[in-house]
Amino acid sequence: MAVANTTQRASSQFLKRLRSSLPWYPFIIINALVFVLFNLVPWFSMFRYSVLKTDLLSTREFVGLDHFVRMFTDAKLHKAMLNTAWFTLMYIPLLVVVSLGVAILVNRPLRGMKAFRAIYFLPNITSVAVLALIFRRFLSPRPDGPLNFLIGLVGIPPQKWLIDVYQAMPSIVGISLWEAFGYFMVIWLAGLQAIPNELYDAAKVDGANGWRLHRYVTIPLLRPTAAFIIVIATIGALQVFGSIFILTGGGPVNATTTVVYQIYNEAFNFGRFGYASALSILFFAMILIIALIQSRYLRFGDDVY
């Protein structure tokens, strides 16, 4: 009898909790549907197409692992991987230094500093298409182009920028840096404002000031923030696409063709959706491995206090 009463009481409590939570189920269902339609279904399709030779219109031919074997001899893919690595190695250090420096500057308790924070963050909420069109004009290779005019004032001859094999990728790095540094500045700013002022006061008592405060207090205590920024920024850098698509189209002579742009080419320009799907799986695995290595050695998630 006691067991029956206990079971009945538990069932009653469960039904009561279920009725109280019913208003939230529509929101859960909507999110679940979005996840299934825009995550699970594309993932399933990608794995399915990776073993097929198809352009999504004609008949589909099963080719097994041929697409994955082809990657070892695909010279364009190898070039795209090198370009992606080169972009990332240039972009990440510059992004970390610039965004941290700006965050330290705007963290000062000065009048009107909130306006400066908003101005620095503005490029991040601007469409990449708009930014690319602005920089297309700014980086015009003409002698009277805005940037060529400015460097001409100090005696530097006009540069070709986006149409030069050696200057195109650094130009894309500069555009991407301008687009993203405001977002990471805000993250640095949150980390800076989380550092207790008592630590700075104690360091000043010990004779530290200026650069020493940042070297011995600020930078060490920003390690968790730095780990987060490096991991997230690296993932974003490996997937660079928008500015390249609009400004260079992967040129000149494939100098700015990255892995993501190569996947786009294979799928939508050449109609090789099967090979593009196989490339996507490979690229996902690469990003996952790099992120896991960074998280391990940067001790992502560890606390410094």
Side-chain angles (χ1 to χ4, degrees):
M1 187 68 178
V3 174
N5 290 336
T6 302
T7 304
Q8 186 178 5
R9 192 180 303 113
S11 176
S12 176
Q13 291 176 351
F14 171 77
L15 291 175
K16 184 178 180 180
R17 288 197 300 268
L18 181 62
R19 283 194 297 268
S20 64
S21 60
L22 279 178
W24 300 104
Y25 276 93
F27 298 98
I28 297 174
I29 293 172
I30 291 172
N31 281 280
L33 288 174
V34 170
F35 176 77
V36 170
L37 290 175
F38 296 100
N39 287 276
L40 290 185
V41 172
W43 269 98
F44 174 78
S45 300
M46 181 177 65
F47 280 98
R48 178 190 175 196
Y49 291 138
S50 68
V51 295
L52 299 176
K53 182 179 180 181
T54 177
D55 58 2
L56 299 185
L57 297 176
S58 61
T59 57
R60 300 169 183 177
E61 177 186 352
F62 179 78
V63 295
L65 299 178
D66 288 359
H67 291 319
F68 295 94
V69 175
R70 176 186 167 187
M71 296 178 192
F72 292 99
T73 58
D74 190 341
K76 289 184 178 180
L77 175 61
H78 301 163
K79 174 66 173 176
M81 287 183 173
L82 288 175
N83 287 341
T84 304
W86 177 227
F87 174 88
T88 304
L89 291 174
M90 285 191 292
Y91 174 74
I92 298 300
L94 287 172
L95 178 67
V96 170
V97 172
V98 171
S99 59
L100 176 58
V102 175
I104 291 174
L105 289 175
V106 301
N107 192 41
R108 300 174 180 274
L110 300 177
R111 189 173 183 179
M113 195 56 71
K114 291 183 179 180
F116 282 100
R117 295 175 187 173
I119 292 172
Y120 286 128
F121 188 74
L122 184 61
N124 187 253
I125 60 175
T126 304
S127 169
V128 64
V130 174
L131 290 176
L133 292 175
I134 292 173
F135 273 91
R136 173 178 287 176
R137 171 59 181 161
F138 190 71
L139 296 175
S140 172
R142 293 163 53 94
D144 59 347
L147 188 54
N148 278 337
F149 174 78
L150 292 175
I151 64 176
L153 297 177
V154 294
I156 301 176
Q159 304 297 312
K160 296 181 180 179
W161 304 117
L162 293 170
I163 62 174
D164 183 85
V165 173
Y166 301 103
Q167 296 177 358
M169 187 60 82
S171 299
I172 295 295
V173 170
I175 296 167
S176 301
L177 182 66
W178 177 258
E179 174 194 355
F181 87 93
Y183 170 76
F184 294 101
M185 174 202 72
V186 172
I187 298 176
W188 283 121
L189 195 59
L192 288 169
Q193 294 180 351
I195 299 175
N197 289 326
E198 292 80 2
L199 297 178
Y200 289 108
D201 296 336
K204 290 177 181 178
V205 171
D206 291 336
N209 52 40
W211 165 244
R212 287 178 174 269
L213 285 175
H214 294 305
R215 180 181 178 185
Y216 295 108
V217 179
T218 304
I219 295 177
L221 294 178
L222 285 176
R223 192 189 70 203
T225 306
F228 172 80
I229 286 176
I230 291 173
V231 172
I232 298 301
T234 301
I235 293 173
L238 292 171
Q239 300 179 78
V240 61
F241 175 77
S243 54
I244 292 174
F245 175 76
I246 297 172
L247 291 173
T248 64
V253 198
N254 294 322
T256 58
T257 297
T258 58
V259 177
V260 174
Y261 193 80
Q262 181 66 16
I263 293 172
Y264 168 83
N265 271 338
E266 293 290 344
F268 298 101
N269 288 337
F270 305 139
R272 296 192 282 257
F273 283 89
Y275 187 52
S277 298
L279 289 179
S280 300
I281 294 173
L282 171 68
F283 193 47
F284 168 75
M286 290 172 53
I287 292 177
L288 179 62
I289 292 171
I290 292 172
L292 290 175
I293 292 173
Q294 286 183 324
S295 299
R296 177 179 177 83
Y297 287 98
L298 293 173
R299 292 183 289 178
F300 180 69
D302 289 357
D303 200 346
V304 296
Y305 296 107

